[in-house]
Amino acid sequence: MTLVEEYRKIASLAKDPANAEVVIDAILTHFDVEYVDMDLGIEWLYTTNVIDHKFRSVLYKGEDMDAIVAWFKAKTGVTDEEIAVAEAKEKQYVDGCLNLAEQYLGMGHVICGTTYLELAAAKGSETAAAKLKDMQYAKNMYMLGEQYLAMGHKICSKTYFELAAAKGCPKAAAKLAEY
């Protein structure tokens, strides 16, 4: 993992104050500090002059995540330009995955399309995550439609097929054409 990737990972974790311990642990890991007790790791950073006594108290408190991330950025030497380049590459990757997912899903290749959506969602794409959620919902509604159809409940099954078709399920749309 490059320094820029490591910094971006820590910075994204630091957005949630509840992740303070995880962020500090990631910073300690960056400096190859492997103590079971985080306090010992912070003390090691202090005694080896990686941090000063003022910043030691900031790490102990773990409340000022902006200061912690800014310190880490300065200490690693990551520049804003490097971050911008990494973000642009990631956006390009996500856009490519979304484009390929759309193409494969349009051709009926659900597994390939889903894989590309999962790759984009893993990089933080809310669009891909929403599409995956819609696909799961459509799959569940289609399965319910099939179950009710097997029991002879045509009106109920039609409702479930309509819900699945509304989320883009082609099998559900085909079933609706039979009604």
Side-chain angles (χ1 to χ4, degrees):
M1 180 182 306
T2 66
L3 281 177
V4 175
E5 291 170 340
E6 187 175 2
Y7 166 76
R8 289 185 68 226
K9 179 182 171 190
I10 289 172
S12 71
L13 286 170
K15 290 177 183 175
D16 184 3
N19 290 335
E21 192 172 312
V22 175
V23 170
I24 294 168
D25 185 53
I27 290 171
L28 292 173
T29 301
H30 169 77
F31 290 104
D32 292 327
V33 179
E34 298 294 332
Y35 287 104
V36 174
D37 184 6
M38 195 176 320
D39 293 344
L40 290 174
I42 293 170
E43 284 303 313
W44 184 87
L45 289 177
Y46 174 66
T47 57
T48 58
N49 294 322
V50 175
I51 58 175
D52 61 11
H53 71 282
K54 291 178 185 176
F55 196 71
R56 179 176 67 171
S57 65
V58 171
L59 284 177
Y60 272 124
K61 291 178 186 175
E63 295 170 352
D64 191 358
M65 297 308 293
D66 292 336
I68 293 170
V69 170
W71 172 85
F72 184 70
K73 179 180 174 185
K75 199 68 172 174
T76 58
V78 174
T79 64
D80 291 334
E81 292 81 21
E82 291 173 321
I83 295 168
V85 167
E87 287 173 351
K89 281 183 181 178
E90 187 171 293
K91 183 180 179 342
Q92 184 179 14
Y93 174 81
V94 168
D95 290 345
C97 285
L98 290 173
N99 185 30
L100 287 170
E102 184 180 317
Q103 288 177 9
Y104 279 112
L105 290 172
M107 292 186 289
H109 300 294
V110 178
I111 294 173
C112 287
T114 302
T115 301
Y116 281 112
L117 286 174
E118 289 169 346
L119 289 170
K123 290 289 186 179
S125 171
E126 293 178 13
T127 304
K131 180 69 175 168
L132 284 169
K133 195 173 188 178
D134 285 348
M135 289 173 66
Q136 185 60 46
Y137 175 82
K139 181 180 177 182
N140 292 344
M141 294 303 107
Y142 180 80
M143 289 173 42
L144 284 170
E146 285 289 343
Q147 289 174 354
Y148 278 102
L149 186 61
M151 292 186 286
H153 300 293
K154 289 185 177 183
I155 295 172
C156 194
S157 68
K158 182 180 178 195
T159 302
Y160 285 114
F161 289 139
E162 288 170 346
L163 290 170
K167 293 292 183 179
C169 178
K171 291 194 296 186
K175 285 284 188 181
L176 285 174
E178 297 174 10
Y179 283 92

